[in-house]
mmCIF file of all heavy atoms in Angstrom:
data_model
loop_
_atom_site.group_PDB
_atom_site.id
_atom_site.type_symbol
_atom_site.label_atom_id
_atom_site.label_comp_id
_atom_site.label_asym_id
_atom_site.label_seq_id
_atom_site.Cartn_x
_atom_site.Cartn_y
_atom_site.Cartn_z
ATOM 1 N N ILE A 30 13.855 -1.146 13.781
ATOM 2 C CA ILE A 30 13.867 -0.500 12.431
ATOM 3 C C ILE A 30 13.569 0.957 12.595
ATOM 4 O O ILE A 30 12.538 1.332 13.153
ATOM 5 C CB ILE A 30 12.854 -1.219 11.504
ATOM 6 C CG1 ILE A 30 13.146 -2.720 11.339
ATOM 7 C CG2 ILE A 30 12.785 -0.584 10.167
ATOM 8 C CD1 ILE A 30 12.109 -3.469 10.553
ATOM 9 N N GLU A 82 16.079 4.478 4.799
ATOM 10 C CA GLU A 82 16.148 5.883 4.328
ATOM 11 C C GLU A 82 14.964 6.198 3.405
ATOM 12 O O GLU A 82 14.405 5.291 2.753
ATOM 13 C CB GLU A 82 17.451 6.089 3.536
ATOM 14 C CG GLU A 82 18.713 5.841 4.347
ATOM 15 C CD GLU A 82 19.016 6.913 5.359
ATOM 16 O OE1 GLU A 82 18.323 7.946 5.343
ATOM 17 O OE2 GLU A 82 19.933 6.677 6.188
ATOM 18 N N VAL A 88 3.690 6.159 7.346
ATOM 19 C CA VAL A 88 3.222 5.046 6.514
ATOM 20 C C VAL A 88 3.825 3.739 6.954
ATOM 21 O O VAL A 88 3.172 2.661 7.020
ATOM 22 C CB VAL A 88 3.606 5.297 5.008
ATOM 23 C CG1 VAL A 88 3.182 4.168 4.119
ATOM 24 C CG2 VAL A 88 3.002 6.549 4.520
ATOM 25 N N PHE A 108 -11.046 9.530 4.187
ATOM 26 C CA PHE A 108 -10.284 8.400 3.720
ATOM 27 C C PHE A 108 -9.115 8.819 2.923
ATOM 28 O O PHE A 108 -9.257 9.359 1.805
ATOM 29 C CB PHE A 108 -11.160 7.483 2.893
ATOM 30 C CG PHE A 108 -10.545 6.159 2.521
ATOM 31 C CD1 PHE A 108 -10.395 5.182 3.460
ATOM 32 C CD2 PHE A 108 -10.052 5.921 1.213
ATOM 33 C CE1 PHE A 108 -9.782 3.932 3.155
ATOM 34 C CE2 PHE A 108 -9.398 4.703 0.920
ATOM 35 C CZ PHE A 108 -9.275 3.734 1.932
ATOM 36 N N VAL A 114 -2.052 4.398 -1.248
ATOM 37 C CA VAL A 114 -1.174 4.185 -2.370
ATOM 38 C C VAL A 114 0.332 4.109 -1.935
ATOM 39 O O VAL A 114 1.059 3.238 -2.364
ATOM 40 C CB VAL A 114 -1.322 5.281 -3.461
ATOM 41 C CG1 VAL A 114 -0.307 5.158 -4.570
ATOM 42 C CG2 VAL A 114 -2.723 5.243 -4.039
ATOM 43 N N PHE A 123 8.669 -4.340 -0.083
ATOM 44 C CA PHE A 123 9.023 -5.293 0.947
ATOM 45 C C PHE A 123 8.465 -6.639 0.726
ATOM 46 O O PHE A 123 8.524 -7.499 1.567
ATOM 47 C CB PHE A 123 8.593 -4.759 2.313
ATOM 48 C CG PHE A 123 9.344 -3.496 2.695
ATOM 49 C CD1 PHE A 123 8.673 -2.505 3.472
ATOM 50 C CD2 PHE A 123 10.620 -3.245 2.275
ATOM 51 C CE1 PHE A 123 9.346 -1.392 3.869
ATOM 52 C CE2 PHE A 123 11.259 -2.074 2.647
ATOM 53 C CZ PHE A 123 10.602 -1.139 3.445
ATOM 54 N N LEU A 128 -0.512 -7.961 2.519
ATOM 55 C CA LEU A 128 -0.815 -6.538 2.856
ATOM 56 C C LEU A 128 -1.290 -5.809 1.574
ATOM 57 O O LEU A 128 -2.260 -5.049 1.621
ATOM 58 C CB LEU A 128 0.376 -5.831 3.416
ATOM 59 C CG LEU A 128 0.256 -4.323 3.670
ATOM 60 C CD1 LEU A 128 -0.991 -4.034 4.543
ATOM 61 C CD2 LEU A 128 1.490 -3.738 4.342
ATOM 62 N N LEU A 136 -9.528 -0.428 -0.694
ATOM 63 C CA LEU A 136 -9.806 0.514 -1.797
ATOM 64 C C LEU A 136 -11.108 0.130 -2.472
ATOM 65 O O LEU A 136 -11.955 0.981 -2.860
ATOM 66 C CB LEU A 136 -8.663 0.559 -2.816
ATOM 67 C CG LEU A 136 -7.394 1.219 -2.332
ATOM 68 C CD1 LEU A 136 -6.310 1.028 -3.413
ATOM 69 C CD2 LEU A 136 -7.599 2.723 -2.088
ATOM 70 N N THR A 141 -16.893 1.930 -3.454
ATOM 71 C CA THR A 141 -18.284 1.539 -3.590
ATOM 72 C C THR A 141 -19.155 1.777 -2.421
ATOM 73 O O THR A 141 -20.373 1.411 -2.474
ATOM 74 C CB THR A 141 -18.344 0.005 -3.986
ATOM 75 O OG1 THR A 141 -17.693 -0.728 -3.003
ATOM 76 C CG2 THR A 141 -17.623 -0.259 -5.280
ATOM 77 N N ASP A 142 -18.637 2.385 -1.371
ATOM 78 C CA ASP A 142 -19.412 2.560 -0.161
ATOM 79 C C ASP A 142 -19.662 4.050 0.024
ATOM 80 O O ASP A 142 -18.760 4.862 0.084
ATOM 81 C CB ASP A 142 -18.613 2.042 1.069
ATOM 82 C CG ASP A 142 -19.508 1.948 2.299
ATOM 83 O OD1 ASP A 142 -19.951 3.020 2.789
ATOM 84 O OD2 ASP A 142 -19.718 0.840 2.840
ATOM 85 N N GLU A 143 -20.910 4.400 0.164
ATOM 86 C CA GLU A 143 -21.333 5.828 0.230
ATOM 87 C C GLU A 143 -20.805 6.486 1.485
ATOM 88 O O GLU A 143 -20.747 7.698 1.607
ATOM 89 C CB GLU A 143 -22.846 5.932 0.177
ATOM 90 C CG GLU A 143 -23.495 5.523 -1.109
ATOM 91 C CD GLU A 143 -23.157 6.480 -2.249
ATOM 92 O OE1 GLU A 143 -22.739 7.611 -1.992
ATOM 93 O OE2 GLU A 143 -23.297 6.075 -3.420
ATOM 94 N N ALA A 145 -17.786 6.314 2.629
ATOM 95 C CA ALA A 145 -16.366 6.710 2.473
ATOM 96 C C ALA A 145 -16.289 8.061 1.943
ATOM 97 O O ALA A 145 -16.888 8.378 0.871
ATOM 98 C CB ALA A 145 -15.686 5.680 1.633
ATOM 99 N N LYS A 170 -3.644 1.852 -10.387
ATOM 100 C CA LYS A 170 -4.257 2.648 -11.437
ATOM 101 C C LYS A 170 -5.538 1.985 -12.000
ATOM 102 O O LYS A 170 -6.483 2.653 -12.294
ATOM 103 C CB LYS A 170 -3.241 2.942 -12.578
ATOM 104 C CG LYS A 170 -2.289 4.035 -12.206
ATOM 105 C CD LYS A 170 -1.270 4.345 -13.294
ATOM 106 C CE LYS A 170 -0.192 3.279 -13.313
ATOM 107 N NZ LYS A 170 0.933 3.635 -14.158
ATOM 108 N N GLY A 175 -10.943 2.609 -12.501
ATOM 109 C CA GLY A 175 -12.218 1.891 -12.413
ATOM 110 C C GLY A 175 -13.157 2.593 -11.506
ATOM 111 O O GLY A 175 -14.406 2.651 -11.764
ATOM 112 N N ASP A 202 -6.139 13.180 -17.387
ATOM 113 C CA ASP A 202 -5.058 12.588 -18.216
ATOM 114 C C ASP A 202 -4.771 11.144 -17.829
ATOM 115 O O ASP A 202 -4.641 10.261 -18.728
ATOM 116 C CB ASP A 202 -3.771 13.397 -18.126
ATOM 117 C CG ASP A 202 -3.867 14.742 -18.800
ATOM 118 O OD1 ASP A 202 -4.770 14.915 -19.674
ATOM 119 O OD2 ASP A 202 -2.984 15.624 -18.542
ATOM 120 N N THR A 210 -6.831 0.229 -20.849
ATOM 121 C CA THR A 210 -6.109 -1.011 -20.324
ATOM 122 C C THR A 210 -6.969 -1.839 -19.433
ATOM 123 O O THR A 210 -6.628 -2.959 -19.135
ATOM 124 C CB THR A 210 -4.863 -0.565 -19.529
ATOM 125 O OG1 THR A 210 -5.276 0.109 -18.343
ATOM 126 C CG2 THR A 210 -4.004 0.375 -20.373
ATOM 127 N N GLU A 221 -15.589 -8.175 -8.415
ATOM 128 C CA GLU A 221 -15.485 -8.705 -7.097
ATOM 129 C C GLU A 221 -14.024 -8.463 -6.598
ATOM 130 O O GLU A 221 -13.084 -8.406 -7.388
ATOM 131 C CB GLU A 221 -15.792 -10.183 -7.114
ATOM 132 C CG GLU A 221 -17.234 -10.527 -7.488
ATOM 133 C CD GLU A 221 -18.237 -9.950 -6.545
ATOM 134 O OE1 GLU A 221 -17.949 -9.885 -5.325
ATOM 135 O OE2 GLU A 221 -19.344 -9.597 -7.035
ATOM 136 N N SER A 228 -2.330 -12.788 -6.965
ATOM 137 C CA SER A 228 -2.282 -14.207 -6.623
ATOM 138 C C SER A 228 -1.126 -14.505 -5.666
ATOM 139 O O SER A 228 0.009 -14.010 -5.767
ATOM 140 C CB SER A 228 -2.123 -15.095 -7.874
ATOM 141 O OG SER A 228 -1.867 -16.386 -7.523
ATOM 142 N N SER A 233 5.790 -18.624 -0.372
ATOM 143 C CA SER A 233 5.829 -19.322 0.937
ATOM 144 C C SER A 233 5.612 -18.265 2.087
ATOM 145 O O SER A 233 5.171 -18.644 3.089
ATOM 146 C CB SER A 233 7.132 -20.080 1.134
ATOM 147 O OG SER A 233 8.232 -19.169 1.048
#
Side-chain angles (χ1 to χ4, degrees):
I30 299 177
E82 301 286 350
V88 179
F108 188 74
V114 172
F123 296 148
L128 175 55
L136 290 173
T141 56
D142 193 296
E143 294 292 342
K170 281 179 282 193
D202 287 345
T210 67
E221 296 297 327
S228 174
S233 59

